[in-house]
Amino acid sequence: MQREQELANLADPTDLADLALSPAEMRAMGEAVVARSVAHLASLSEQPSRGDLGDIAAFCRAMREPVPEQGSALEPLLDHLFDELVPRSFTTIGAGYLAYIPGGGIYPAALADFIADTTNRYTGIWQAAPALVQLEANVLEWLRDWMQFPATTRGLFTAGGSMAIFNAIACARELHLGTEIRSGTLYVSSQAHHCIVKAAKLAGIAHDRVRTVAVDRDYRLRVDDLERAIAADRAAGLRPFMVFSSAGTTNTGAVDPLNAVADLAAREKLWHHIDGAYGAFFHMVPELRPLLEGLSRADSLTLDPHKGMFLPYGTGALLVRDGAALRALHSSTAGYLPENQDEFYDPAQYGPDLSRGFPGLRVWLTVKLFGAAKYRAAIAEKRELAVWAAEQVAQIPGIVIDALPHLSLFAFHVAGRGIETLEQQNAATQSLMECVTRRGDVMLTGAMVGDRYLGRVCVLGFRTRRAVMERCVRQLAEETAALLAAASGRHG
Ligand SMILES: *Cc1c(COP(=O)(O)O)cnc(C)c1O
């Protein structure tokens, strides 16, 4: 009752220009939000793996609204959000979310964001909050050490992997091409993430300067094909300047031959970027490092803490081995700002943002609270679960494994009597993903790879433990059996 009273006071019309809230109001509002958020998390096991998206277009059309002239109370707004909007989505934080590359939403990060937003200190330039900026610099150095990059490395936090890649391309372009951008060519495999071509375009590298290199039977970049493409471009008078490899592709989880690409890049004097948006954090676990051998040789590396560190969306990161190159791209001065300094990390000198949020705090608070050992155990467990599940799924009659888990993702398709043509197999595999997802415990998505549709399971959510993987395997077996029975029934 008291809370309602306090919230209603917000609509006090006597002092329209006053936007500051009293301590009691702030506490009441904060408690209301925490109560809703925690209740949401506590009910996760009852939420479907994919929320109700029936007739969602009509729902969205009906949502359009004019700007409100008057404020309203908080509770009805929270009702609307938590009861109407949040449930109409993929349950990305659920234990059963095995689709795409799972994210996280680990709780301490939300608390860190709350602190960052309420204190709202300026972390764009070092002088405005030197100690807070140092804290972010420390976190970037943790990432650097986990990836075994050298002391010359500098990095930056970005909104996600896509923006990390954008900054890497701009950095390589500036260093290798200078103002002669049109002659530069860039190389990706056919399995590289689509955001690279988009980032290249943003960074001034047009699509006709992006070469797509073939992959081998394990969906890994073919270095011989890369070498041929580079030679052809050189012969045509172009300037190859950058090559991408993947430390875990999104489609099948393939890890490219990182060492071989690094060797070639060194020989050809190309900037080698490794996209570790999905896989880089497996490098945190010393026993798993051989799976990513060569990762620490990259000129730059994408990391996505909002995937492999289970953080909420909005945290990507870039590491650049030659920190001076990153600084050369971003460094700038202004008459109204303090002189640049060289001793300490300075966000605006290493990234495109000036005013910015404080992304380092969510990583810092989470790692400080849990400790690195807990992280390593969780990441190692996700891989073990994927390896175990792949072994089980491989034994299901009617399932053909296309990619075993290199890290924590495996891919497969359905085949059997009456499911013989590629078209039939694609339809059956797609149907399998949908049938399992509709049961509500796990959410699975597939991917077109060439002309084949592959089913996928990717384990990377911190809530995903053994029990949900057992359910996933059981449901894949039951739904595959049903598909086979229906198909062989149709064919007599
Ligand atoms: C997710 C992902 C990206 C893109 O990162 P965002 O954080 O979504 O921008 C790039 N590459 C790979 C391999 C990914 O899994």
Side-chain angles (χ1 to χ4, degrees), residues 40-51 86 89-106 310-311 313 382 385 440-444 458-465 467-469 471-472:
H40 176 74
L41 297 179
S43 72
L44 259 182
S45 62
E46 291 129 54
Q47 296 174 29
S49 60
R50 182 180 65 194
V86 173
S89 58
F90 304 164
T91 310
T92 48
I93 59 173
Y97 190 73
L98 307 170
Y100 306 105
I101 306 290
I106 205 156
F310 321 124
L311 289 177
Y313 292 122
K382 300 319 146 203
L385 289 172
D441 286 319
V442 301
M443 179 171 168
L444 302 179
C458 183
V459 188
L460 203 60
F462 69 92
R463 293 183 175 94
T464 302
R465 309 299 302 271
V468 79
M469 292 314 296
R471 221 150 38 230
C472 172

Side-chain angles (χ1 to χ4, degrees), residues 101 160-162 165 193 195 248-250 275 277-278 304 306-307:
I101 306 290
S162 303
I165 288 169
H193 197 277
C195 79
T249 62
T250 311
D275 179 5
Y278 156 52
D304 242 350
H306 64 204
K307 290 175 181 164

Side-chain angles (χ1 to χ4, degrees), residues 136-414:
E136 183 161 299
N138 290 352
V139 178
L140 286 168
E141 290 188 1
W142 298 347
L143 300 185
R144 178 198 73 191
D145 292 347
W146 288 332
M147 302 302 139
Q148 297 185 303
F149 266 52
T152 53
T153 301
R154 293 290 177 275
L156 83 142
F157 283 111
T158 60
S162 303
M163 287 312 286
I165 288 169
F166 164 68
N167 277 281
I169 298 174
C171 194
R173 186 208 68 202
E174 183 78 2
L175 187 75
H176 284 258
L177 304 179
T179 55
E180 298 300 316
I181 294 177
R182 270 304 279 163
S183 58
T185 52
L186 176 159
Y187 304 81
V188 297
S189 91
S190 63
Q191 290 300 300
H193 197 277
H194 68 281
C195 79
I196 298 173
V197 177
K198 179 172 166 179
K201 191 171 160 191
L202 290 173
I205 310 299
H207 66 90
D208 64 343
R209 293 298 185 256
V210 177
R211 307 289 180 243
T212 304
V213 173
V215 292
D216 64 18
R217 288 180 48 195
D218 295 325
Y219 309 101
R220 293 153 30 109
L221 181 147
R222 275 184 51 183
V223 178
D224 57 343
D225 201 49
L226 172 62
E227 200 161 9
R228 258 195 306 276
I230 292 170
D233 283 329
R234 287 212 199 282
L238 295 167
R239 290 195 295 160
F241 78 100
M242 186 173 199
V243 57
F244 278 81
S245 56
S246 301
T249 62
T250 311
N251 285 344
T252 66
V255 175
D256 288 330
L258 305 178
N259 261 326
V261 177
D263 289 341
L264 182 61
R267 244 183 0 258
E268 296 279 350
K269 301 200 166 31
L270 266 56
W271 182 290
H272 179 204
H273 181 91
I274 296 182
D275 179 5
Y278 156 52
F281 283 104
F282 289 93
H283 203 269
M284 237 181 115
V285 185
E287 307 86 77
L288 300 182
R289 278 181 192 160
L291 298 173
L292 294 165
E293 216 194 313
L295 180 123
S296 17
R297 291 177 62 193
D299 291 301
S300 53
L301 174 69
T302 322
L303 301 139
D304 242 350
H306 64 204
K307 290 175 181 164
M309 286 186 76
F310 321 124
L311 289 177
Y313 292 122
T315 311
L318 172 70
L319 293 180
V320 176
R321 169 180 299 274
D322 175 5
L326 186 63
R327 181 153 185 166
L329 174 68
H330 291 294
S331 190
S332 58
T333 54
Y336 74 95
L337 288 176
E339 293 270 326
N340 289 337
Q341 50 77 39
D342 294 324
E343 183 181 354
F344 299 104
Y345 179 74
D346 203 341
Q349 301 302 318
Y350 288 96
D353 298 318
L354 182 57
S355 300
R356 61 198 281 277
F358 186 18
L361 189 66
R362 43 162 61 182
V363 191
W364 178 83
L365 186 66
T366 308
V367 175
K368 290 290 276 188
L369 276 171
F370 286 132
K374 220 166 163 54
Y375 258 107
R376 287 196 302 272
I379 291 166
E381 185 196 62
K382 300 319 146 203
R383 177 175 150 76
E384 279 162 27
L385 289 172
V387 170
W388 175 82
E391 278 165 8
Q392 305 303 306
V393 169
Q395 289 165 30
I396 297 173
I399 294 276
V400 179
I401 297 281
D402 294 278
L404 283 168
H406 196 109
L407 300 169
S408 70
L409 192 175
F410 60 97
F412 49 92
H413 69 271
V414 179

